[in-house]
Amino acid sequence: RHKILGHVFSGFCTKMNRCKQMNTGEEALETPLKRCLNTFDITLLGVGHMVGAGIYVLTGTVARDIAGPGIIFSFIIAGMTSMLAALCYAEFGTRVPKAGSAYVYTYVSVGEFWAFVIGWNIILEHMIGAASVARAWSGYVDSLLGGAISNITVSITGEMHEQLFGKYPDFLAFAVCISYACVLGTGVKGSAMVNSILTLVNLGVMILVVVVGFYYANLDN
């Protein structure tokens, strides 16, 4: 009986950790997907994925309440860590030239079970990331309007006092997420073009903030 259970458990572990076999040579580059993105599009996709709304939402709060001037070193450490992650992805992308990102890389190198876990983590990451960006954008628009959106929403729906939820349902953030989905539904090329435009605007705003910050900087601080 123990031998049977051991054999079953061993077979189960073997199946969980089996790795995907990759084709070699030119067959490894074959894909049913249409290659419609150029280097510029892919570069801005990567930049847009790394530079999100967090740099606007968290930077001031962290500098004021936690790190102070030491936030410069925090950004340097975070940048070095991001560079290491980028180099890892570049190496994996060269060795495993297949669509699927970290899911495929894990499936080929570690095993099926861990690829399953990584795949669902990627889905969760993008869901949380999209929701946080939409919430941040909604908060900024509401702030520019003097809190009109939140006040009207609270007057209609009332406040929610649950600890894990916001004070009111954010319909504007929901509309932003639906807009994301509609843009993605237009196709890869269309969504990449929108991403490129927004990323360039984002980088332009960051450069403007840096230049203005240097101009008004007080060295006594």
Side-chain angles (χ1 to χ4, degrees):
R1 182 179 179 181
H2 291 290
K3 290 183 178 180
I4 295 175
L5 291 176
H7 180 72
V8 172
F9 182 74
S10 176
F12 177 72
C13 292
T14 301
K15 290 181 179 180
M16 287 178 59
N17 293 295
R18 60 187 175 187
C19 297
K20 183 179 180 65
Q21 300 298 321
M22 291 292 299
N23 296 325
T24 58
E26 295 183 357
E27 294 181 356
L29 299 176
E30 294 180 358
T31 175
L33 302 176
K34 183 179 179 181
R35 301 179 185 273
C36 58
L37 300 179
N38 53 35
T39 304
F40 181 76
D41 295 330
I42 295 174
T43 301
L44 289 183
L45 277 173
V47 173
H49 189 74
M50 291 185 292
V51 182
I55 195 169
Y56 301 109
V57 177
L58 295 177
T59 304
T61 303
V62 172
R64 182 190 63 189
D65 300 333
I66 301 175
I71 193 173
I72 298 175
F73 299 102
S74 300
F75 271 104
I76 292 175
I77 295 173
M80 294 174 62
T81 306
S82 299
M83 179 61 69
L84 294 176
L87 292 174
C88 290
Y89 269 93
E91 182 68 21
F92 273 120
T94 303
R95 291 179 177 269
V96 187
K98 289 290 185 180
S101 185
Y103 168 78
V104 174
Y105 306 152
T106 308
Y107 201 169
V108 171
S109 59
V110 181
E112 185 175 4
F113 172 75
W114 300 110
F116 174 82
V117 174
I118 292 295
W120 280 104
N121 281 337
I122 291 175
I123 294 175
L124 183 62
E125 171 195 351
H126 284 85
M127 289 176 59
I128 295 175
S132 62
V133 170
R135 183 68 182 88
W137 190 87
S138 172
Y140 275 117
V141 173
D142 186 42
S143 178
L144 290 174
L145 297 177
I149 297 176
S150 57
N151 292 333
I152 294 174
T153 306
V154 170
S155 65
I156 296 174
T157 63
E159 287 193 10
M160 296 187 298
H161 300 285
E162 295 293 334
Q163 186 176 2
L164 298 178
F165 298 96
K167 293 183 179 180
Y168 60 92
D170 197 335
F171 295 108
L172 181 57
F174 174 75
V176 171
C177 290
I178 295 298
S179 300
Y180 289 164
C182 293
V183 171
L184 291 174
T186 61
V188 176
K189 193 64 179 178
S191 59
M193 182 181 65
V194 174
N195 175 81
S196 299
I197 295 173
L198 295 179
T199 302
L200 290 175
V201 172
N202 194 10
L203 293 177
V205 172
M206 291 174 57
I207 293 173
L208 178 63
V209 170
V210 171
V211 172
V212 173
F214 271 112
Y215 180 78
Y216 287 101
N218 186 358
L219 297 179
D220 294 334
N221 294 329

